[in-house]
Amino acid sequence: MKRNYRSLGVLLTTGLLFLSSCSDSFLEVKPRGTDLETNYYRNQQEAFNGLVAVYDVVGWQGGGYVTKVGAVNAASDDHYAGGGGPSDVTDYQVFSNYTLTPAVGPQGELWRKGFSGVFRANTLLQKLPSVPMDENLKNRYAAEAKFLRAYFYFDLVRLFKNVPLLTKTVSTSEMYDVLQAPPADVYKQIEQDLNEAMAVLPVTVPVATEAGRATQGAAHALLGKVYLQQEKFAQAAQELALVNGTPGGANTYGYKLLSNFGDLFKTRNKFNSESIFEISFTNTSAGTWDCISCTEGNVLNIMIGPRGYKPLKEGAPDYVSGWSFLVVTPDLFNAIHFDPRNQATIANLDSLEKNGIASYEKGYMNTGYFLNKLAARQADRPTGAGAPELNYPQNIYEIRLADTYLMEAEALVRGGGDQVRAAALLNAVRDRAYQDNLHRVPATLDNIMRERRVELAGEGHRWFDLVRWGTAAKVLASKGFVAGRNEVLPIPLLEMENTKIEQNKEWGGTK
């Protein structure tokens, strides 16, 4: 499949010269068209359009079907790459079996996503001071840009470790002299951006008109996650406690666990009470095959569905025939099989076929198990213009309340904090899953690790968790993970051509 790849140098040039013009709705996340950046930011509307252009990158989907969630799922022990064969979306295949190289893998698209977001945020922050508009609104836009810059940099530093730290726009003459910063400096900037942002961001936003925009709660949640990544356990617990409030009860920001786990993944429940930061997709963008990366639909919905699916009996699940990517491993199936979250998480096509309920074609590395959370449904099938496969509307959670409960519990256990509260947080998640309080467990790290796996399966957390816990080398050894190398991705080969950017030492470089 054709890659739409640009190096950091090209992004520095085009990202500063051009800015996408955008819809004024945050539910329509992909802006269309271009405007010269030098002629932009003349008024409040253009500043708002610039802000939406930054948000646009959160839902980045590469022309080669690469997304962050898809890539890290493929790399985890919960999924195989799947698809139609060993070369189908090669970027996923080589990450899944750990044969990636600096030239081949998802790192090009993930690097491009991160720095596209950083460049757009920096441009907006540089231009905002001179825009004639309400000062309070201007401050909010700046706070959102800082939140988003922190979000993009957190993914970049986790994935690549050694990245350039850019907090202002860079001229064409400077682009090839950009240096990488120590990871500690990147984390310091992330923390600064989030602390400055949360002082200005709104406590809540109206879902009908501003769903998906950053809030104080989202900033505290992301900062807690950043602290946890650095093993700053006390600070992580403090930030996350502000988000979580009373486990299973009230909190400052109105977040609340949904009463039914399965309801989290129904399209009608976008931006629900459990959602803290969510990626928005829609079925109205009319995305077509000539520009896969332009669609506003969720490409993972069709990628994950069982290939050649056919219902054979009334009442069979209404899956859409998909491409059988990211098949669920037997290991995850066994881990969740007797858990009440199993049915909402995994589509057991093997069982459906054996019972004559449905049939399907066996794709590459088929296990019979698919990710039910994200599989496209006939009920959501687009009926408007564009390719139906590219226009499914299910959103994806970046951060939700059960996630922050479990992160705070982890920070408390690993940091020697309040163990009673840690148990309350862990068991609030379990109580929701089991619909009773009869399955509570002690707050041990092993129990929290297991709970994160079954609660958040398929949502793009597992690989990052394994790396953070230091267990990736053991857990992923059978897939080819090599300790001391695969904890980070290689710097994309193109980024080092005629620049001062150096390869990570894990991949044979000097950084």
Side-chain angles (χ1 to χ4, degrees):
M1 297 177 182
K2 186 177 179 180
R3 293 288 303 275
N4 184 13
Y5 184 85
R6 288 181 289 175
S7 70
L8 175 60
V10 175
L11 282 170
L12 280 166
T13 304
T14 59
L16 297 178
L17 290 178
F18 294 96
L19 177 69
S20 297
S21 63
C22 316
S23 161
D24 61 359
S25 170
F26 276 79
L27 300 179
E28 298 176 9
V29 296
K30 291 286 185 186
R32 298 191 179 98
T34 58
D35 290 281
L36 283 173
E37 184 267 340
T38 52
N39 297 327
Y40 220 68
Y41 302 99
R42 296 165 297 188
N43 52 50
Q44 179 178 312
Q45 182 61 52
E46 292 186 352
F48 178 80
N49 291 348
L51 176 61
V52 177
V54 189
Y55 275 100
D56 165 52
V57 187
V58 175
W60 187 282
Q61 301 179 123
Y65 301 99
V66 172
T67 65
K68 181 183 74 173
V69 171
V72 295
N73 277 358
S76 78
D77 58 328
D78 288 350
H79 304 272
Y80 299 127
S87 61
D88 198 359
V89 186
T90 299
D91 290 343
Y92 282 1
Q93 305 294 340
V94 298
F95 201 10
S96 186
N97 60 28
Y98 290 95
T99 58
L100 69 171
T101 69
V104 181
Q107 61 272 10
E109 203 65 65
L110 297 175
W111 178 281
R112 179 183 171 213
K113 170 189 175 177
F115 279 108
S116 292
V118 168
F119 299 154
R120 292 187 186 191
N122 285 344
T123 300
L124 179 61
L125 287 166
Q126 183 169 310
K127 293 291 185 178
L128 270 176
S130 60
V131 178
M133 60 183 289
D134 177 81
E135 287 298 317
N136 289 330
L137 197 56
K138 183 186 295 188
N139 290 337
R140 180 185 175 185
Y141 289 5
E144 290 179 84
K146 289 179 180 179
F147 169 89
L148 291 167
R149 183 168 67 185
Y151 165 80
F152 295 125
Y153 259 125
F154 184 48
D155 278 347
L156 285 167
V157 74
R158 286 192 295 170
L159 289 167
F160 297 102
K161 188 174 72 173
N162 296 296
V163 296
L165 179 57
L166 307 172
T167 57
K168 61 180 182 179
T169 57
V170 180
S171 68
T172 305
S173 62
E174 298 171 315
M175 72 177 83
Y176 296 109
D177 292 323
V178 170
L179 300 174
Q180 290 143 293
D185 291 353
V186 179
Y187 277 111
K188 183 178 179 181
Q189 183 62 49
I190 292 170
E191 293 170 10
Q192 179 180 324
D193 277 348
L194 290 173
N195 277 304
E196 291 177 358
M198 68 180 59
V200 179
L201 290 172
V203 174
T204 60
V205 296
V207 171
T209 56
E210 297 186 6
R213 294 181 73 169
T215 61
Q216 286 182 18
H220 283 296
L222 182 54
L223 183 55
K225 192 171 183 176
V226 169
Y227 283 142
L228 184 62
Q229 181 72 22
Q230 300 173 83
E231 300 189 351
K232 296 180 178 180
F233 299 124
Q235 295 99 313
Q238 181 178 4
E239 290 297 324
L240 293 164
L242 295 171
V243 178
N244 295 333
T246 303
N251 55 68
T252 302
Y253 302 106
Y255 301 128
K256 183 180 179 181
L257 294 176
L258 293 189
S259 59
N260 187 314
F261 174 80
D263 288 345
L264 284 162
F265 310 102
K266 295 177 179 177
T267 305
R268 67 174 182 270
N269 289 330
K270 294 185 177 189
F271 304 109
N272 56 68
S273 64
E274 190 166 336
S275 176
I276 296 174
F277 190 50
E278 184 169 333
I279 304 174
S280 182
F281 296 98
T282 178
N283 59 1
T284 61
S285 69
T288 59
W289 295 110
D290 60 345
C291 184
I292 297 166
S293 61
C294 300
T295 185
E296 297 173 23
N298 186 344
V299 298
L300 281 176
N301 287 163
I302 195 68
M303 292 183 75
I304 282 170
R307 185 176 295 258
Y309 177 78
K310 293 181 180 179
L312 301 177
K313 289 184 177 180
E314 186 177 352
D318 67 333
Y319 301 123
V320 173
S321 180
W323 303 342
S324 68
F325 280 95
L326 302 176
V327 289
V328 170
T329 62
D331 191 50
L332 174 58
F333 178 78
N334 291 332
I336 200 173
H337 185 48
F338 297 106
D339 186 285
R341 287 161 286 198
N342 172 49
Q343 188 172 4
T345 301
I346 294 178
N348 190 338
L349 270 294
D350 181 61
S351 177
L352 292 175
E353 187 170 69
K354 286 179 179 177
N355 288 284
I357 297 171
S359 65
Y360 73 106
E361 297 174 14
K362 313 305 183 290
Y364 181 57
M365 301 192 79
N366 176 65
T367 62
Y369 314 127
F370 296 80
L371 184 60
N372 198 31
K373 285 181 177 179
L374 290 178
R377 302 278 186 159
Q378 292 289 351
D380 296 324
R381 188 174 180 85
T383 57
E389 297 88 348
L390 300 180
N391 290 281
Y392 283 91
Q394 186 181 6
N395 286 4
I396 291 178
Y397 301 105
E398 271 290 328
I399 307 175
R400 60 182 175 91
L401 190 60
D403 178 18
T404 59
Y405 274 18
L406 295 174
M407 284 194 290
E408 185 189 347
E410 178 184 337
L412 290 169
V413 168
R414 296 180 70 187
D418 184 344
Q419 302 302 291
V420 174
R421 179 173 172 82
L425 289 158
L426 169 61
N427 287 307
V429 177
R430 291 180 62 80
D431 289 353
R432 189 266 297 275
Y434 285 90
Q435 296 291 293
D436 61 37
N437 60 4
L438 304 177
H439 295 81
R440 295 180 176 179
V441 296
T444 65
L445 184 56
D446 282 346
N447 283 339
I448 293 168
M449 288 176 171
R450 181 196 177 278
E451 201 65 24
R452 283 190 65 81
R453 186 182 194 186
V454 298
E455 173 71 23
L456 302 170
E459 297 180 47
H461 298 283
R462 178 66 174 173
W463 185 82
F464 287 117
D465 283 348
L466 292 174
V467 172
R468 185 179 74 255
W469 294 330
T471 59
K474 179 180 179 180
V475 173
L476 298 172
S478 63
K479 294 188 78 174
F481 188 103
V482 176
R485 183 177 70 187
N486 292 125
E487 290 84 357
V488 298
L489 291 174
I491 305 297
L493 190 63
L494 187 59
E495 304 305 328
M496 297 177 289
E497 295 180 357
N498 301 315
T499 74
K500 294 184 178 180
I501 294 175
E502 300 176 24
Q503 185 58 268
N504 290 321
K505 65 180 181 181
E506 291 87 348
W507 291 90
T510 58
K511 291 298 290 183

